[in-house]
Amino acid sequence: RLTDCACGRAGRARTGIDEMLSSPALKPEPSSRCTRVMVVDDSAIVRGLVSRWLNEADGFEVVATAASGRLALQALESTEPDIVLLDLEMPDIDGMTALPKLLARRPGIKVVVVSSLTKRNAQASLKCLSLGAVDYLPKPEGRRQVSASGFRDELIEKLRALGAAAPKTPVRSEGHSLSAARFTLAGTAIPQCLLVGASTGGPRAVEEVLRGLGSAIRKLPVLLVQHMPSTFTAAFAEHLGTRLGIRAREPQDGETLAPGTVYVAPGGRHMGLRSASEIRIEKGPPVSFCKPAFGVLYREAAAFLGPSATAVVLTGMGSDGTEGARALVRAGASVIVQDEATSTIWGMPGSIVRAGLARGVLPLSAIGPALRDHITGALP
């Protein structure tokens, strides 16, 4: 029998779909099963490295590898992976084409898109997130960079968090959920600036919240920190602008805040405030292991905006934002977090809830409409 501590070493890296672990005797018992991973990449080097890393780490079992989307689809049903690491650029059937087919054949599977750091791949990765991928992972170029410990550690940490998260079923926010959201915001100051922070699973969540604001987004600036590398944040701003028909961009240091604009923190740099109306961009050290970190933005917003700011913390792993949220609450601002049921990973929102800093814990679909009503004065 395979246990949590043994299964990673028991299932060594395998290449090709003819060596998949499909025998029921080799599958861990549900009570102690590992996170089952399929690695899909046209590079044999990448497949071998990633498979070895995961099989050496406790709690994972690589059940299949495939060199194309077609082979991945063929392997899917017999291997029953929990997570698929999906490369974008492959022969035969590429990752973007394979993604919706994988999700349709195995509902509930978590697909992580892996792509190199180019603008084109960043745009493709964001498209995949809108199609149902739960996260992305930038892949360094070249064998030496791919084998670097930083990439390996980020991969394992991300997959461990996704594997530990409870399986999600579609959650509908009924009328009482929206009523609860409105009640949460009733009696608070109407925000003059909206602060949004997100990480794993964030791009889709951010888009839903901003879409839910409707025309209210024209009434105030939105400062957004999404944990992403630099190439991705520029593409994300463009993606939001195109999808939602709004002004969205990475700001320059010293830029003046303007209503109706979404300012996306540049990857690799922190975004904060120099005054109540001036944005500050700087390269300082990581905060809570993140850069950009929305803890920086929240702390400075507390100092300059006080109760005229409202912060929203969406899905993501880690605890970035907790101390910044503490400063906001002390300054009279409100902090709203996404609930666990609708979060891909309830790390950052959960950290704020456990610290007693959340004014409201709301399902994703209720956050935007409740903020819209509050901003436009529809709430008391």
Side-chain angles (χ1 to χ4, degrees):
R1 168 170 126 177
L2 300 179
T3 64
D4 281 342
C5 62
C7 61
R9 293 182 291 275
R12 292 302 177 187
R14 300 164 187 268
T15 55
I17 65 171
D18 56 336
E19 297 181 281
M20 297 176 294
L21 299 181
S22 57
S23 170
L26 291 177
K27 293 180 181 178
E29 296 179 9
S31 61
S32 60
R33 72 193 301 269
C34 300
T35 298
R36 299 165 63 81
V37 183
M38 176 190 291
V39 181
V40 186
D41 198 295
D42 64 340
S43 167
I45 293 173
V46 172
R47 294 197 306 272
L49 279 172
V50 172
S51 297
R52 189 187 74 208
W53 294 338
L54 293 177
N55 281 320
E56 289 175 350
D58 290 340
F60 298 103
E61 180 186 8
V62 177
V63 294
T65 67
S68 72
R70 185 181 301 279
L71 294 177
L73 289 164
Q74 292 174 4
L76 189 65
E77 292 185 8
S78 61
T79 56
E80 300 182 352
D82 303 306
I83 298 175
V84 174
L85 288 173
L86 184 64
D87 186 23
L88 284 180
E89 297 178 318
M90 296 181 292
D92 197 4
I93 294 181
D94 63 21
M96 186 175 293
T97 304
L99 173 62
K101 300 177 185 294
L102 291 166
L103 295 173
R105 293 189 186 183
R106 187 167 171 79
I109 195 172
K110 297 173 182 176
V111 179
V112 177
V113 173
V114 183
S115 65
S116 55
L117 282 166
T118 66
K119 181 178 180 180
R120 177 174 174 272
N121 283 342
Q123 293 169 332
S125 296
L126 291 167
K127 175 66 174 177
C128 286
L129 292 177
S130 68
L131 292 174
V134 298
D135 207 0
Y136 61 91
L137 187 66
K139 179 171 63 177
E141 295 287 354
R143 178 174 181 175
R144 178 173 298 178
Q145 287 81 6
V146 170
S147 61
S149 60
F151 175 66
R152 178 194 63 205
D153 294 345
E154 183 180 3
L155 170 69
I156 292 173
E157 179 185 23
K158 194 176 291 284
L159 296 194
R160 200 176 296 285
L162 288 170
K168 304 295 181 186
T169 55
V171 177
R172 296 180 61 190
S173 296
E174 305 296 344
H176 70 276
S177 297
L178 186 52
S179 296
R182 288 171 172 152
F183 178 78
T184 293
L185 291 167
T188 63
I190 294 178
Q192 304 303 307
C193 184
L194 184 61
L195 317 172
V196 181
S199 185
T200 309
R204 277 192 297 166
V206 166
E207 183 177 332
E208 181 163 349
V209 168
L210 296 183
R211 189 182 299 278
L213 290 173
S215 60
I217 200 170
R218 301 192 188 100
K219 293 181 173 293
L220 78 179
V222 178
L223 294 170
L224 167 62
V225 178
Q226 165 71 51
H227 294 162
M228 281 181 170
S230 57
T231 305
F232 277 64
T233 49
F236 185 41
E238 182 179 338
H239 174 84
L240 288 174
T242 301
R243 296 269 296 179
L244 301 178
I246 58 176
R247 296 197 300 270
R249 64 174 183 272
E250 291 182 336
Q252 300 295 316
D253 182 55
E255 187 167 339
T256 300
L257 289 172
T261 303
V262 178
Y263 300 96
V264 180
R269 289 179 286 171
H270 294 303
M271 179 172 69
L273 293 172
R274 190 168 283 118
S275 69
S277 60
E278 186 178 352
I279 294 175
R280 185 179 68 85
I281 303 293
E282 56 100 6
K283 295 182 178 179
V287 174
S288 299
F289 307 102
C290 302
K291 191 168 69 171
F294 42 94
V296 173
L297 173 63
Y298 289 2
R299 185 177 65 246
E300 296 181 3
F304 293 113
L305 299 174
S308 67
T310 293
V312 177
V313 180
L314 301 175
T315 174
M317 62 186 186
S319 60
D320 183 23
T322 300
E323 291 308 309
R326 194 182 308 279
L328 281 170
V329 170
R330 287 173 178 167
S334 297
V335 179
I336 308 299
V337 305
Q338 184 178 352
D339 70 1
E340 185 172 11
T342 61
S343 295
T344 302
I345 296 177
W346 207 56
M348 300 183 308
S351 175
I352 288 173
V353 170
R354 288 187 293 273
L357 300 170
R359 181 173 182 86
V361 183
L362 308 176
L364 178 62
S365 61
I367 296 174
L371 287 168
R372 175 198 64 209
D373 290 351
H374 193 33
I375 293 166
T376 57
L379 294 182

